[in-house]
């Protein structure tokens, strides 16, 4: 993609960024992204260099937060977790 001199991402670019982050967050490999990752993606994909603070403003603008949850392990079992919750540790009494 050619280098853009624009200081703002277009609506289409923001949609593409949202899709990229959403897809990465749902990845079975645990798609945890940090601000620097998103900053690099914007630079490489759109040719726009933003300060990290501005990246977080963009995330907020597109309805995302820089605060992330832990990704789930691919072999995680909800059944095992529920069984664990039903069996309190005897040391807790």
């Amino acid at each position: 993609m050619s280098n853009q001199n624009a200081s703002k991402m277009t609506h289409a670019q923001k949609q593409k960024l949202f899709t990229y982050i959403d897809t990465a967050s749902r990845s079975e490999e645990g798609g945890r992204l940090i601000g620097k990752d998103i900053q690099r993606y914007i630079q490489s994909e759109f040719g726009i260099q933003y300060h990290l603070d501005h990246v977080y403003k963009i995330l907020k603008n597109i309805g995302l937060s820089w605060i992330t949850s832990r990704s789930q392990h691919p072999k995680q079992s909800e059944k095992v977790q529920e069984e664990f919750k039903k069996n309190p540790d005897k040391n807790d009494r």
Side-chain angles (χ1 to χ4, degrees):
M1 187 169 256
S2 64
N3 190 1
Q4 296 179 359
N5 294 326
S7 60
K8 291 186 176 184
M9 293 174 64
T10 66
H11 180 71
Q13 289 170 328
K14 288 179 182 178
Q15 286 181 315
K16 187 171 182 176
L17 175 63
F18 182 93
T19 301
Y20 166 74
I21 294 169
D22 186 54
T23 302
S25 71
R26 297 173 192 276
S27 168
E28 287 187 14
E29 291 81 36
R32 188 168 193 178
L33 296 172
I34 61 172
K36 288 263 186 201
D37 297 328
I38 297 166
Q39 184 183 40
R40 280 190 291 271
Y41 175 82
I42 293 170
Q43 170 65 42
S44 68
E45 189 67 26
F46 309 121
I48 302 171
Q49 181 64 47
Y50 284 121
H51 186 276
L52 194 54
D53 290 342
H54 197 77
V55 170
Y56 294 128
K57 289 178 186 176
I58 292 168
L59 293 178
K60 183 177 180 181
N61 179 263
I62 63 175
L64 298 173
S65 171
W66 65 272
I67 299 172
T68 63
S69 61
R70 291 190 181 268
S71 56
Q72 295 182 353
H73 191 279
K75 295 181 183 177
Q76 177 175 312
S77 168
E78 288 185 33
K79 181 179 175 185
V80 172
Q81 289 178 355
E82 289 303 316
E83 289 300 317
F84 181 79
K85 291 177 189 177
K86 292 178 186 177
N87 297 312
D89 187 19
K90 293 178 184 171
N91 294 325
D92 289 345
R93 295 181 188 184

